[in-house]
Amino acid sequence: MRMSHARPSRPQDEESLDAAKLELGEDFHDAECLLISEVKVLLEAQYDSKKEEKNLDETYIKTLEYVQQFSRYTNRDTIKEVRALLKPTELEPFECAQLGNLCCSEYDEAKTLIPSIGSKISDDDLDSLLKQMDSLKKYQG
């Protein structure tokens, strides 16, 4: 007898989800969105204890490899500074995480990739924010 590994259906119709409109579904309601760099810090902090316990499963290893490859900020101080830059904006947590993860170099690129920020922040303010984030990325220790 074969067991089915199908996911249980969710009450919300998946076709109605749209990240461009911040329609992310119930799973993201009141959720804090992390930067890939923050996930990297968390996973690396668990690595030694998981290794000692021989609890390094394939998913954990692949996720760790992914975040190590795509992490934009390499130290905790820089990550804190990026979060501090993003916090006073009128942007939603998902939008802040997207800006921090994508590291766009131009405001129009950011507005294209994250359409929901369009009217929430002026082009000049977004450009300034992106330049500050880029400076932090370039000069991190």
Side-chain angles (χ1 to χ4, degrees):
M1 180 175 170
R2 294 188 67 172
M3 301 285 289
S4 172
H5 294 290
R7 288 184 169 187
S9 62
R10 296 198 180 241
Q12 182 161 3
D13 181 21
E14 288 186 24
E15 291 182 24
S16 69
L17 302 179
D18 186 353
K21 298 177 185 173
L22 290 181
E23 296 168 356
L24 305 173
E26 290 184 28
D27 291 344
F28 284 90
H29 185 66
D30 293 329
E32 184 62 38
C33 298
L34 299 177
L35 302 176
I36 292 172
S37 300
E38 292 170 317
V39 175
K40 177 181 173 267
V41 168
L42 293 172
L43 292 179
E44 287 178 344
Q46 295 176 346
Y47 182 79
D48 289 334
S49 65
K50 284 188 167 287
K51 189 174 179 182
E52 286 176 15
E53 297 169 8
K54 296 183 178 16
N55 193 15
L56 294 172
D57 64 3
E58 183 179 354
T59 302
Y60 177 87
I61 296 294
K62 286 186 177 190
T63 304
L64 181 59
E65 290 170 354
Y66 177 89
V67 297
Q68 287 173 334
Q69 181 175 355
F70 293 105
S71 179
R72 304 293 188 176
Y73 308 102
T74 57
N75 69 55
R76 291 178 187 202
D77 291 334
T78 303
I79 296 168
K80 287 178 187 176
E81 290 182 55
V82 169
R83 273 291 177 192
L85 285 173
L86 293 167
K87 190 173 185 172
T89 67
E90 297 294 320
L91 302 176
E92 296 294 325
F94 177 77
E95 295 164 324
C96 291
Q98 291 293 72
L99 280 175
N101 290 332
L102 294 171
C103 293
C104 300
S105 55
E106 303 288 331
Y107 70 87
D108 56 337
E109 176 187 20
K111 287 189 170 189
T112 299
L113 294 174
I114 314 165
S116 61
I117 66 173
S119 62
K120 294 180 182 179
I121 186 169
S122 73
D123 292 349
D124 289 339
D125 288 345
L126 181 57
D127 190 52
S128 174
L129 178 64
L130 294 173
K131 285 179 180 172
Q132 290 174 65
M133 289 169 53
D134 186 52
S135 179
L136 288 171
K137 186 174 72 166
K138 285 180 182 173
Y139 300 109
Q140 59 191 331

